[in-house]
Amino acid sequence: MIEKDFDIPFIADLALREKQIQQNYRPIIAVHKWFARRPGTLFRGLLLSEFSEKPLREAFYQSNDFSKKKIADPFMGGGTPLLEANRIGCDVVGFDINPMSYWIVKQEIEQLDLTSYDKATAFLRSEVEKDIGRLYRTKCTICGNENAHVKYFMWVKTTVCHRCGKCIDLFPGYLLASDARHPKNVFVCSRCGQLTEAEDREHPGKCKHCGFTLSTNGPANRSRCKCSHCQAENIFPNVKQGPPKHRLFAIEYHCQSCKSSHEGRFFKYPDDQDLSRVAESKERWQTLHPSFVPDDEIPSGDETNRLHRWGYTRYFELFNERQLLGLELSARIISNISNNRVRNALATNLSDLLRYQNMLCRYDTMALKSLDIFSIHGFPVGLIQCESNFLGIMDCDKNVCIGSGGWKNIVEKFRKAKAYCDAPFEVRYNNSRKEIVPIRDERIGDYLNAENHVQHRNVEIHCIDSAASKLPDSSLDAVFTDPPYFRNVQYAELMDFCYVWLRRLIGKEVDAFSNISTRNRRELTGNMDMGRDLEYFTEGLSSVFQKMAKALKRGAPLSFTYHHNTFEAYLPVAVAILDAGFVCSVTLPCPAEMSASIHINGTESSIIDTIFVCRTTGTVLRKTLPSSTEGVASLVRNDLAELRKGNVKPSLGDTRCIAYGHLFRLAIWHLRSVWDKTADTSKKISTVSHWLSGFGGWAEIEKHLNEQSCSNQYDPAFVVRETNENCTGDYANISF
């Protein structure tokens, strides 16, 4: 059972490593972007802890077969729990109200003939290359090679001065590339626009072309920009001017001819030929008559309102003409592929390609790479945009992709993902040595190709609200899930960006794509625009948990991951658990985020999830039920010690989230016998909050933790002011 057999240090170490480069550990996630995916190693650890009779560290690297178990995920999202359960032979049933989630999981778990897929991708790239490949070439400024491959086009937003009517570049700064991954810093001259390399970032000196003094800071700051022509102050964005215009100001390229003799990256100021290719793209697009480029309106929303403030009203306005041209041509080829699964795979590839092929991508001046539109969990409208090579570039010497965001990049990642399904592996470390461990006889897929026959696995994927599902009573052996975290990610608003394209391309063949948007008023995320508040989230989560409780066999677990920075976001979790008649038997910590992620780096957010394990019947260890915040602090210290054994360095935010888990677990334990699930939602939320106010909260726990830290005295784990006799025999466990 999870409560007894889950190995925190072991899984914490693996999960932390996985989140650093997740695709190296679980290539399956590269099928398509989904947000906030939890580590596959975590859910493998939970599944094996619950079902395997072997120690977790042994079972983890061995083949497992639990073909008689049935697992459900009511919030499947990117599908991680289902994939891990399917891999060890379980029957799986998944639900998500978002059609993009349904589609992504379907593509992850369906078997695919890779030979047919390879032929189709090669044909597509060849055809697109013949048609528009020249639009991604440039002349090398060093050796004169006319066919150097453009990696990235750099664009700056512009506006029209309200006084003189001239065009203004909205540069927030003039540093194009730092010397972190390039021999020198690269600056844009504010007068002539040419590029100059400088050793000193703070004092870059003068432009080598016009002699003007180079500057780090640009004129655009805090929505204000001074006109370089008349010195008038302009406010941006200006919705009246429509979607923002852009000017090409720099190019990063790759020259295979002189790469071996050149140090660092290749940068250049766009020449006349580069600009003529921009003009050619516009002309081609104006005469193309597109069939697959969506003209859907961008509806208002918590995230999409950012786009409205910049004058964007339709999704196609988020792309430039060259990008639209490439996407339309690609969609036409995909639509004519006869093999259904191959066509769907390539349509999925195009949908994933979108996040790099748009004019909201930014250029990382330190890492020198494109940041896709979803590098943060929102729509970042920056002033400098990065357009990636549409086709992708191969280094002929090393046989690896150069740059990011092209067809070649997407296809290679997808192929690795599907190959992993047929031959999954785990990563093991002996000291610092990394070892790939094949797990033979495990597979991800809806069927297995055996020697002389096909073995089908039961896989049910549903695009519906799981609360409305028709799961038979007592039919599930476990529920593993990662529910929405109240207002953390606006999944539907973000996924519409891809959905409107995918629906246009293959929507007629997919029942789940009947609606014009993925947005649904029943979606369980807090959303001010749609009036979904804390009470709404509570009621929705409660209805799902109640449905799962009925479908679970007696004593079977509902286990889910959760973390949030605010105390209030945990209240719906407690109410839902109590409404469903569950007891939280244990809470466990595990890394689930990467601290360096753009959306989390530099914040007080936690990288640690709390794993809630809930059952309708079972036992709880008496020593995990302290009667004071001092006792909770002792539990928190133990969790922190276990994480440190797994090479995790918990932050204050991590510590707070761990404490929240224990506090709410205790509230559930003490309120279960007096709970009235028929009460108003606001009253139920208030009941939980009131109990916690009486018990004590994070401030008191933090005080005890600080006192312990200052005392420099060792306090054994799980000390809850009771004797050894109280923790043995009949007193060790309390049944519920």
Side-chain angles (χ1 to χ4, degrees), residues 32 100 103 107 117 124 330-331 334-335 337 340-354 407 498 501-502 505-506 513:
H32 196 286
M100 283 299 295
W103 183 256
Q107 291 304 303
Y117 174 76
L124 184 150
S330 298
I334 294 169
S335 68
I337 294 174
N340 185 58
R341 288 202 173 189
V342 173
R343 184 173 64 255
N344 289 343
L346 279 169
T348 305
N349 295 159
L350 184 138
S351 175
D352 200 38
L353 180 68
L354 292 169
W407 260 116
C498 299
W501 287 81
L502 198 55
L505 181 54
I506 59 168
F513 287 3

PDB file of all heavy atoms in Angstrom, residues 32 100 103 107 117 124 330-331 334-335 337 340-354 407 498 501-502 505-506 513:
ATOM      1  N   HIS A  32       2.665  16.130 -27.660  1.00  0.00           N
ATOM      2  CA  HIS A  32       2.056  17.459 -27.788  1.00  0.00           C
ATOM      3  C   HIS A  32       2.189  18.186 -26.455  1.00  0.00           C
ATOM      4  O   HIS A  32       2.194  17.579 -25.392  1.00  0.00           O
ATOM      5  CB  HIS A  32       0.567  17.348 -28.159  1.00  0.00           C
ATOM      6  CG  HIS A  32      -0.042  18.611 -28.676  1.00  0.00           C
ATOM      7  ND1 HIS A  32      -0.353  19.680 -27.845  1.00  0.00           N
ATOM      8  CD2 HIS A  32      -0.410  18.988 -29.932  1.00  0.00           C
ATOM      9  CE1 HIS A  32      -0.880  20.654 -28.574  1.00  0.00           C
ATOM     10  NE2 HIS A  32      -0.922  20.263 -29.840  1.00  0.00           N
ATOM     11  N   MET A 100      -8.899  18.989 -26.349  1.00  0.00           N
ATOM     12  CA  MET A 100      -7.472  18.888 -26.637  1.00  0.00           C
ATOM     13  C   MET A 100      -6.805  17.855 -25.743  1.00  0.00           C
ATOM     14  O   MET A 100      -5.921  17.125 -26.194  1.00  0.00           O
ATOM     15  CB  MET A 100      -6.784  20.245 -26.490  1.00  0.00           C
ATOM     16  CG  MET A 100      -7.013  21.191 -27.651  1.00  0.00           C
ATOM     17  SD  MET A 100      -6.402  20.565 -29.241  1.00  0.00           S
ATOM     18  CE  MET A 100      -4.631  20.482 -28.954  1.00  0.00           C
ATOM     19  N   TRP A 103      -7.730  14.518 -27.175  1.00  0.00           N
ATOM     20  CA  TRP A 103      -6.998  14.225 -28.399  1.00  0.00           C
ATOM     21  C   TRP A 103      -5.535  13.873 -28.116  1.00  0.00           C
ATOM     22  O   TRP A 103      -4.993  12.926 -28.706  1.00  0.00           O
ATOM     23  CB  TRP A 103      -7.063  15.421 -29.344  1.00  0.00           C
ATOM     24  CG  TRP A 103      -6.383  15.141 -30.654  1.00  0.00           C
ATOM     25  CD1 TRP A 103      -5.163  15.582 -31.076  1.00  0.00           C
ATOM     26  CD2 TRP A 103      -6.881  14.308 -31.699  1.00  0.00           C
ATOM     27  NE1 TRP A 103      -4.860  15.103 -32.310  1.00  0.00           N
ATOM     28  CE2 TRP A 103      -5.898  14.303 -32.727  1.00  0.00           C
ATOM     29  CE3 TRP A 103      -8.040  13.564 -31.878  1.00  0.00           C
ATOM     30  CZ2 TRP A 103      -6.071  13.591 -33.903  1.00  0.00           C
ATOM     31  CZ3 TRP A 103      -8.207  12.842 -33.046  1.00  0.00           C
ATOM     32  CH2 TRP A 103      -7.226  12.867 -34.043  1.00  0.00           C
ATOM     33  N   GLN A 107      -3.657  10.322 -28.930  1.00  0.00           N
ATOM     34  CA  GLN A 107      -2.469  10.204 -29.775  1.00  0.00           C
ATOM     35  C   GLN A 107      -1.295   9.562 -29.031  1.00  0.00           C
ATOM     36  O   GLN A 107      -0.477   8.863 -29.628  1.00  0.00           O
ATOM     37  CB  GLN A 107      -2.053  11.582 -30.289  1.00  0.00           C
ATOM     38  CG  GLN A 107      -3.027  12.185 -31.285  1.00  0.00           C
ATOM     39  CD  GLN A 107      -3.264  11.280 -32.473  1.00  0.00           C
ATOM     40  OE1 GLN A 107      -2.330  10.891 -33.184  1.00  0.00           O
ATOM     41  NE2 GLN A 107      -4.516  10.894 -32.675  1.00  0.00           N
ATOM     42  N   TYR A 117       4.645   6.412 -40.892  1.00  0.00           N
ATOM     43  CA  TYR A 117       4.785   7.777 -40.388  1.00  0.00           C
ATOM     44  C   TYR A 117       6.054   8.434 -40.942  1.00  0.00           C
ATOM     45  O   TYR A 117       6.024   9.586 -41.382  1.00  0.00           O
ATOM     46  CB  TYR A 117       4.809   7.766 -38.861  1.00  0.00           C
ATOM     47  CG  TYR A 117       5.097   9.110 -38.231  1.00  0.00           C
ATOM     48  CD1 TYR A 117       4.123  10.101 -38.175  1.00  0.00           C
ATOM     49  CD2 TYR A 117       6.347   9.388 -37.680  1.00  0.00           C
ATOM     50  CE1 TYR A 117       4.395  11.337 -37.590  1.00  0.00           C
ATOM     51  CE2 TYR A 117       6.623  10.608 -37.091  1.00  0.00           C
ATOM     52  CZ  TYR A 117       5.642  11.581 -37.047  1.00  0.00           C
ATOM     53  OH  TYR A 117       5.926  12.798 -36.463  1.00  0.00           O
ATOM     54  N   LEU A 124       6.259  15.216 -46.585  1.00  0.00           N
ATOM     55  CA  LEU A 124       5.782  16.555 -46.219  1.00  0.00           C
ATOM     56  C   LEU A 124       6.926  17.562 -46.198  1.00  0.00           C
ATOM     57  O   LEU A 124       6.823  18.636 -46.797  1.00  0.00           O
ATOM     58  CB  LEU A 124       5.087  16.507 -44.848  1.00  0.00           C
ATOM     59  CG  LEU A 124       4.438  17.810 -44.360  1.00  0.00           C
ATOM     60  CD1 LEU A 124       3.243  17.498 -43.480  1.00  0.00           C
ATOM     61  CD2 LEU A 124       5.392  18.683 -43.537  1.00  0.00           C
ATOM     62  N   SER A 330       1.404  23.016 -45.323  1.00  0.00           N
ATOM     63  CA  SER A 330       1.560  21.767 -44.570  1.00  0.00           C
ATOM     64  C   SER A 330       0.207  21.100 -44.337  1.00  0.00           C
ATOM     65  O   SER A 330       0.055  19.883 -44.495  1.00  0.00           O
ATOM     66  CB  SER A 330       2.241  22.040 -43.226  1.00  0.00           C
ATOM     67  OG  SER A 330       3.538  22.573 -43.391  1.00  0.00           O
ATOM     68  N   ALA A 331      -0.792  21.897 -43.958  1.00  0.00           N
ATOM     69  CA  ALA A 331      -2.126  21.357 -43.702  1.00  0.00           C
ATOM     70  C   ALA A 331      -2.728  20.728 -44.957  1.00  0.00           C
ATOM     71  O   ALA A 331      -3.410  19.700 -44.888  1.00  0.00           O
ATOM     72  CB  ALA A 331      -3.035  22.462 -43.164  1.00  0.00           C
ATOM     73  N   ILE A 334      -1.168  17.292 -45.336  1.00  0.00           N
ATOM     74  CA  ILE A 334      -1.663  16.384 -44.298  1.00  0.00           C
ATOM     75  C   ILE A 334      -3.078  15.915 -44.610  1.00  0.00           C
ATOM     76  O   ILE A 334      -3.420  14.741 -44.433  1.00  0.00           O
ATOM     77  CB  ILE A 334      -1.610  17.074 -42.918  1.00  0.00           C
ATOM     78  CG1 ILE A 334      -0.156  17.330 -42.515  1.00  0.00           C
ATOM     79  CG2 ILE A 334      -2.319  16.234 -41.860  1.00  0.00           C
ATOM     80  CD1 ILE A 334      -0.007  18.245 -41.304  1.00  0.00           C
ATOM     81  N   SER A 335      -3.914  16.809 -45.077  1.00  0.00           N
ATOM     82  CA  SER A 335      -5.318  16.477 -45.340  1.00  0.00           C
ATOM     83  C   SER A 335      -5.475  15.398 -46.412  1.00  0.00           C
ATOM     84  O   SER A 335      -6.498  14.720 -46.463  1.00  0.00           O
ATOM     85  CB  SER A 335      -6.088  17.735 -45.754  1.00  0.00           C
ATOM     86  OG  SER A 335      -5.658  18.209 -47.019  1.00  0.00           O
ATOM     87  N   ILE A 337      -3.423  12.721 -46.795  1.00  0.00           N
ATOM     88  CA  ILE A 337      -2.840  11.443 -46.379  1.00  0.00           C
ATOM     89  C   ILE A 337      -3.965  10.444 -46.116  1.00  0.00           C
ATOM     90  O   ILE A 337      -4.891  10.728 -45.353  1.00  0.00           O
ATOM     91  CB  ILE A 337      -1.954  11.629 -45.135  1.00  0.00           C
ATOM     92  CG1 ILE A 337      -0.736  12.498 -45.489  1.00  0.00           C
ATOM     93  CG2 ILE A 337      -1.505  10.277 -44.575  1.00  0.00           C
ATOM     94  CD1 ILE A 337       0.114  12.863 -44.289  1.00  0.00           C
ATOM     95  N   ASN A 340      -5.309   6.861 -41.771  1.00  0.00           N
ATOM     96  CA  ASN A 340      -5.986   7.675 -40.765  1.00  0.00           C
ATOM     97  C   ASN A 340      -5.089   8.008 -39.577  1.00  0.00           C
ATOM     98  O   ASN A 340      -5.008   9.169 -39.153  1.00  0.00           O
ATOM     99  CB  ASN A 340      -7.250   6.962 -40.291  1.00  0.00           C
ATOM    100  CG  ASN A 340      -8.065   7.811 -39.324  1.00  0.00           C
ATOM    101  OD1 ASN A 340      -8.481   8.916 -39.651  1.00  0.00           O
ATOM    102  ND2 ASN A 340      -8.287   7.270 -38.131  1.00  0.00           N
ATOM    103  N   ARG A 341      -4.404   7.001 -39.032  1.00  0.00           N
ATOM    104  CA  ARG A 341      -3.577   7.246 -37.848  1.00  0.00           C
ATOM    105  C   ARG A 341      -2.359   8.102 -38.186  1.00  0.00           C
ATOM    106  O   ARG A 341      -1.939   8.932 -37.375  1.00  0.00           O
ATOM    107  CB  ARG A 341      -3.154   5.922 -37.199  1.00  0.00           C
ATOM    108  CG  ARG A 341      -4.299   5.220 -36.486  1.00  0.00           C
ATOM    109  CD  ARG A 341      -3.828   4.243 -35.441  1.00  0.00           C
ATOM    110  NE  ARG A 341      -4.940   3.705 -34.672  1.00  0.00           N
ATOM    111  CZ  ARG A 341      -4.844   2.958 -33.568  1.00  0.00           C
ATOM    112  NH1 ARG A 341      -3.648   2.665 -33.091  1.00  0.00           N
ATOM    113  NH2 ARG A 341      -5.915   2.516 -32.941  1.00  0.00           N
ATOM    114  N   VAL A 342      -1.796   7.924 -39.349  1.00  0.00           N
ATOM    115  CA  VAL A 342      -0.669   8.754 -39.772  1.00  0.00           C
ATOM    116  C   VAL A 342      -1.129  10.193 -39.991  1.00  0.00           C
ATOM    117  O   VAL A 342      -0.451  11.146 -39.593  1.00  0.00           O
ATOM    118  CB  VAL A 342      -0.012   8.189 -41.047  1.00  0.00           C
ATOM    119  CG1 VAL A 342       1.052   9.142 -41.579  1.00  0.00           C
ATOM    120  CG2 VAL A 342       0.621   6.827 -40.751  1.00  0.00           C
ATOM    121  N   ARG A 343      -2.293  10.351 -40.631  1.00  0.00           N
ATOM    122  CA  ARG A 343      -2.834  11.700 -40.837  1.00  0.00           C
ATOM    123  C   ARG A 343      -3.088  12.399 -39.491  1.00  0.00           C
ATOM    124  O   ARG A 343      -2.751  13.571 -39.318  1.00  0.00           O
ATOM    125  CB  ARG A 343      -4.128  11.628 -41.637  1.00  0.00           C
ATOM    126  CG  ARG A 343      -4.698  13.017 -41.965  1.00  0.00           C
ATOM    127  CD  ARG A 343      -5.899  12.932 -42.915  1.00  0.00           C
ATOM    128  NE  ARG A 343      -7.037  12.238 -42.342  1.00  0.00           N
ATOM    129  CZ  ARG A 343      -7.427  11.029 -42.643  1.00  0.00           C
ATOM    130  NH1 ARG A 343      -6.783  10.334 -43.550  1.00  0.00           N
ATOM    131  NH2 ARG A 343      -8.480  10.476 -42.061  1.00  0.00           N
ATOM    132  N   ASN A 344      -3.653  11.672 -38.553  1.00  0.00           N
ATOM    133  CA  ASN A 344      -3.910  12.250 -37.231  1.00  0.00           C
ATOM    134  C   ASN A 344      -2.617  12.604 -36.503  1.00  0.00           C
ATOM    135  O   ASN A 344      -2.538  13.616 -35.803  1.00  0.00           O
ATOM    136  CB  ASN A 344      -4.725  11.277 -36.386  1.00  0.00           C
ATOM    137  CG  ASN A 344      -6.155  11.154 -36.861  1.00  0.00           C
ATOM    138  OD1 ASN A 344      -6.660  12.001 -37.606  1.00  0.00           O
ATOM    139  ND2 ASN A 344      -6.829  10.100 -36.437  1.00  0.00           N
ATOM    140  N   ALA A 345      -1.604  11.762 -36.668  1.00  0.00           N
ATOM    141  CA  ALA A 345      -0.312  12.031 -36.037  1.00  0.00           C
ATOM    142  C   ALA A 345       0.302  13.315 -36.588  1.00  0.00           C
ATOM    143  O   ALA A 345       0.784  14.167 -35.828  1.00  0.00           O
ATOM    144  CB  ALA A 345       0.644  10.859 -36.254  1.00  0.00           C
ATOM    145  N   LEU A 346       0.275  13.486 -37.907  1.00  0.00           N
ATOM    146  CA  LEU A 346       0.843  14.682 -38.509  1.00  0.00           C
ATOM    147  C   LEU A 346       0.010  15.931 -38.186  1.00  0.00           C
ATOM    148  O   LEU A 346       0.552  17.026 -38.029  1.00  0.00           O
ATOM    149  CB  LEU A 346       0.966  14.506 -40.019  1.00  0.00           C
ATOM    150  CG  LEU A 346       2.209  13.723 -40.457  1.00  0.00           C
ATOM    151  CD1 LEU A 346       2.131  13.353 -41.921  1.00  0.00           C
ATOM    152  CD2 LEU A 346       3.467  14.532 -40.182  1.00  0.00           C
ATOM    153  N   ALA A 347      -1.293  15.769 -38.092  1.00  0.00           N
ATOM    154  CA  ALA A 347      -2.139  16.885 -37.661  1.00  0.00           C
ATOM    155  C   ALA A 347      -1.779  17.306 -36.240  1.00  0.00           C
ATOM    156  O   ALA A 347      -1.739  18.505 -35.917  1.00  0.00           O
ATOM    157  CB  ALA A 347      -3.617  16.495 -37.748  1.00  0.00           C
ATOM    158  N   THR A 348      -1.503  16.346 -35.387  1.00  0.00           N
ATOM    159  CA  THR A 348      -1.063  16.625 -34.026  1.00  0.00           C
ATOM    160  C   THR A 348       0.285  17.330 -34.031  1.00  0.00           C
ATOM    161  O   THR A 348       0.521  18.262 -33.268  1.00  0.00           O
ATOM    162  CB  THR A 348      -0.984  15.321 -33.213  1.00  0.00           C
ATOM    163  OG1 THR A 348      -2.245  14.643 -33.274  1.00  0.00           O
ATOM    164  CG2 THR A 348      -0.625  15.597 -31.760  1.00  0.00           C
ATOM    165  N   ASN A 349       1.179  16.895 -34.912  1.00  0.00           N
ATOM    166  CA  ASN A 349       2.480  17.551 -35.066  1.00  0.00           C
ATOM    167  C   ASN A 349       2.310  19.021 -35.450  1.00  0.00           C
ATOM    168  O   ASN A 349       2.977  19.902 -34.909  1.00  0.00           O
ATOM    169  CB  ASN A 349       3.320  16.855 -36.124  1.00  0.00           C
ATOM    170  CG  ASN A 349       3.716  15.433 -35.774  1.00  0.00           C
ATOM    171  OD1 ASN A 349       4.042  14.628 -36.646  1.00  0.00           O
ATOM    172  ND2 ASN A 349       3.679  15.110 -34.483  1.00  0.00           N
ATOM    173  N   LEU A 350       1.431  19.288 -36.416  1.00  0.00           N
ATOM    174  CA  LEU A 350       1.208  20.664 -36.848  1.00  0.00           C
ATOM    175  C   LEU A 350       0.662  21.505 -35.695  1.00  0.00           C
ATOM    176  O   LEU A 350       1.067  22.653 -35.494  1.00  0.00           O
ATOM    177  CB  LEU A 350       0.252  20.707 -38.045  1.00  0.00           C
ATOM    178  CG  LEU A 350       0.036  22.102 -38.639  1.00  0.00           C
ATOM    179  CD1 LEU A 350       0.044  22.058 -40.155  1.00  0.00           C
ATOM    180  CD2 LEU A 350      -1.287  22.713 -38.163  1.00  0.00           C
ATOM    181  N   SER A 351      -0.250  20.931 -34.929  1.00  0.00           N
ATOM    182  CA  SER A 351      -0.805  21.633 -33.777  1.00  0.00           C
ATOM    183  C   SER A 351       0.282  21.988 -32.767  1.00  0.00           C
ATOM    184  O   SER A 351       0.308  23.093 -32.225  1.00  0.00           O
ATOM    185  CB  SER A 351      -1.877  20.765 -33.121  1.00  0.00           C
ATOM    186  OG  SER A 351      -2.368  21.359 -31.935  1.00  0.00           O
ATOM    187  N   ASP A 352       1.199  21.070 -32.533  1.00  0.00           N
ATOM    188  CA  ASP A 352       2.293  21.331 -31.598  1.00  0.00           C
ATOM    189  C   ASP A 352       3.301  22.316 -32.177  1.00  0.00           C
ATOM    190  O   ASP A 352       3.909  23.105 -31.444  1.00  0.00           O
ATOM    191  CB  ASP A 352       2.983  20.014 -31.235  1.00  0.00           C
ATOM    192  CG  ASP A 352       3.787  20.103 -29.944  1.00  0.00           C
ATOM    193  OD1 ASP A 352       3.324  20.769 -29.006  1.00  0.00           O
ATOM    194  OD2 ASP A 352       4.869  19.496 -29.871  1.00  0.00           O
ATOM    195  N   LEU A 353       3.473  22.290 -33.497  1.00  0.00           N
ATOM    196  CA  LEU A 353       4.379  23.207 -34.180  1.00  0.00           C
ATOM    197  C   LEU A 353       3.952  24.664 -33.994  1.00  0.00           C
ATOM    198  O   LEU A 353       4.786  25.570 -33.962  1.00  0.00           O
ATOM    199  CB  LEU A 353       4.419  22.853 -35.674  1.00  0.00           C
ATOM    200  CG  LEU A 353       5.313  23.684 -36.603  1.00  0.00           C
ATOM    201  CD1 LEU A 353       6.787  23.457 -36.288  1.00  0.00           C
ATOM    202  CD2 LEU A 353       5.013  23.333 -38.069  1.00  0.00           C
ATOM    203  N   LEU A 354       2.663  24.875 -33.840  1.00  0.00           N
ATOM    204  CA  LEU A 354       2.119  26.227 -33.718  1.00  0.00           C
ATOM    205  C   LEU A 354       2.750  27.035 -32.595  1.00  0.00           C
ATOM    206  O   LEU A 354       2.893  28.250 -32.696  1.00  0.00           O
ATOM    207  CB  LEU A 354       0.608  26.165 -33.486  1.00  0.00           C
ATOM    208  CG  LEU A 354      -0.253  25.658 -34.636  1.00  0.00           C
ATOM    209  CD1 LEU A 354      -1.666  25.400 -34.136  1.00  0.00           C
ATOM    210  CD2 LEU A 354      -0.267  26.661 -35.781  1.00  0.00           C
ATOM    211  N   TRP A 407       9.668  21.931 -38.305  1.00  0.00           N
ATOM    212  CA  TRP A 407       9.063  20.624 -38.556  1.00  0.00           C
ATOM    213  C   TRP A 407       9.995  19.481 -38.170  1.00  0.00           C
ATOM    214  O   TRP A 407       9.566  18.486 -37.589  1.00  0.00           O
ATOM    215  CB  TRP A 407       8.690  20.490 -40.035  1.00  0.00           C
ATOM    216  CG  TRP A 407       7.249  20.730 -40.348  1.00  0.00           C
ATOM    217  CD1 TRP A 407       6.716  21.731 -41.119  1.00  0.00           C
ATOM    218  CD2 TRP A 407       6.129  19.944 -39.903  1.00  0.00           C
ATOM    219  NE1 TRP A 407       5.350  21.619 -41.167  1.00  0.00           N
ATOM    220  CE2 TRP A 407       4.963  20.521 -40.442  1.00  0.00           C
ATOM    221  CE3 TRP A 407       6.003  18.815 -39.095  1.00  0.00           C
ATOM    222  CZ2 TRP A 407       3.690  20.016 -40.208  1.00  0.00           C
ATOM    223  CZ3 TRP A 407       4.729  18.295 -38.856  1.00  0.00           C
ATOM    224  CH2 TRP A 407       3.599  18.893 -39.404  1.00  0.00           C
ATOM    225  N   CYS A 498      -4.330  26.190 -30.256  1.00  0.00           N
ATOM    226  CA  CYS A 498      -4.062  25.036 -31.111  1.00  0.00           C
ATOM    227  C   CYS A 498      -5.341  24.438 -31.683  1.00  0.00           C
ATOM    228  O   CYS A 498      -5.388  24.000 -32.837  1.00  0.00           O
ATOM    229  CB  CYS A 498      -3.306  23.957 -30.330  1.00  0.00           C
ATOM    230  SG  CYS A 498      -1.694  24.457 -29.682  1.00  0.00           S
ATOM    231  N   TRP A 501      -6.986  25.437 -35.091  1.00  0.00           N
ATOM    232  CA  TRP A 501      -6.288  24.894 -36.253  1.00  0.00           C
ATOM    233  C   TRP A 501      -6.592  23.413 -36.433  1.00  0.00           C
ATOM    234  O   TRP A 501      -6.920  22.964 -37.538  1.00  0.00           O
ATOM    235  CB  TRP A 501      -4.774  25.070 -36.082  1.00  0.00           C
ATOM    236  CG  TRP A 501      -4.278  26.461 -36.231  1.00  0.00           C
ATOM    237  CD1 TRP A 501      -4.294  27.449 -35.291  1.00  0.00           C
ATOM    238  CD2 TRP A 501      -3.687  27.039 -37.401  1.00  0.00           C
ATOM    239  NE1 TRP A 501      -3.732  28.597 -35.801  1.00  0.00           N
ATOM    240  CE2 TRP A 501      -3.345  28.371 -37.090  1.00  0.00           C
ATOM    241  CE3 TRP A 501      -3.393  26.550 -38.676  1.00  0.00           C
ATOM    242  CZ2 TRP A 501      -2.735  29.224 -38.008  1.00  0.00           C
ATOM    243  CZ3 TRP A 501      -2.780  27.389 -39.599  1.00  0.00           C
ATOM    244  CH2 TRP A 501      -2.465  28.711 -39.270  1.00  0.00           C
ATOM    245  N   LEU A 502      -6.484  22.658 -35.355  1.00  0.00           N
ATOM    246  CA  LEU A 502      -6.694  21.213 -35.426  1.00  0.00           C
ATOM    247  C   LEU A 502      -8.127  20.895 -35.842  1.00  0.00           C
ATOM    248  O   LEU A 502      -8.374  19.977 -36.629  1.00  0.00           O
ATOM    249  CB  LEU A 502      -6.362  20.590 -34.069  1.00  0.00           C
ATOM    250  CG  LEU A 502      -6.096  19.092 -33.993  1.00  0.00           C
ATOM    251  CD1 LEU A 502      -4.999  18.677 -34.951  1.00  0.00           C
ATOM    252  CD2 LEU A 502      -5.725  18.690 -32.568  1.00  0.00           C
ATOM    253  N   LEU A 505      -8.568  21.320 -39.503  1.00  0.00           N
ATOM    254  CA  LEU A 505      -7.881  20.302 -40.297  1.00  0.00           C
ATOM    255  C   LEU A 505      -8.562  18.947 -40.230  1.00  0.00           C
ATOM    256  O   LEU A 505      -8.765  18.290 -41.261  1.00  0.00           O
ATOM    257  CB  LEU A 505      -6.426  20.192 -39.838  1.00  0.00           C
ATOM    258  CG  LEU A 505      -5.515  19.191 -40.543  1.00  0.00           C
ATOM    259  CD1 LEU A 505      -5.522  19.415 -42.040  1.00  0.00           C
ATOM    260  CD2 LEU A 505      -4.093  19.298 -39.989  1.00  0.00           C
ATOM    261  N   ILE A 506      -8.956  18.477 -39.040  1.00  0.00           N
ATOM    262  CA  ILE A 506      -9.506  17.120 -38.906  1.00  0.00           C
ATOM    263  C   ILE A 506     -10.792  17.079 -38.093  1.00  0.00           C
ATOM    264  O   ILE A 506     -11.269  16.006 -37.732  1.00  0.00           O
ATOM    265  CB  ILE A 506      -8.477  16.164 -38.256  1.00  0.00           C
ATOM    266  CG1 ILE A 506      -8.065  16.680 -36.874  1.00  0.00           C
ATOM    267  CG2 ILE A 506      -7.269  15.966 -39.150  1.00  0.00           C
ATOM    268  CD1 ILE A 506      -7.300  15.659 -36.071  1.00  0.00           C
ATOM    269  N   PHE A 513     -14.595  17.268 -31.376  1.00  0.00           N
ATOM    270  CA  PHE A 513     -14.264  18.581 -31.926  1.00  0.00           C
ATOM    271  C   PHE A 513     -15.489  19.297 -32.491  1.00  0.00           C
ATOM    272  O   PHE A 513     -15.360  20.191 -33.338  1.00  0.00           O
ATOM    273  CB  PHE A 513     -13.214  18.452 -33.026  1.00  0.00           C
ATOM    274  CG  PHE A 513     -11.829  18.129 -32.538  1.00  0.00           C
ATOM    275  CD1 PHE A 513     -11.574  17.910 -31.196  1.00  0.00           C
ATOM    276  CD2 PHE A 513     -10.772  18.036 -33.417  1.00  0.00           C
ATOM    277  CE1 PHE A 513     -10.298  17.600 -30.751  1.00  0.00           C
ATOM    278  CE2 PHE A 513      -9.486  17.745 -32.982  1.00  0.00           C
ATOM    279  CZ  PHE A 513      -9.254  17.521 -31.640  1.00  0.00           C
TER     280      PHE A 513
END
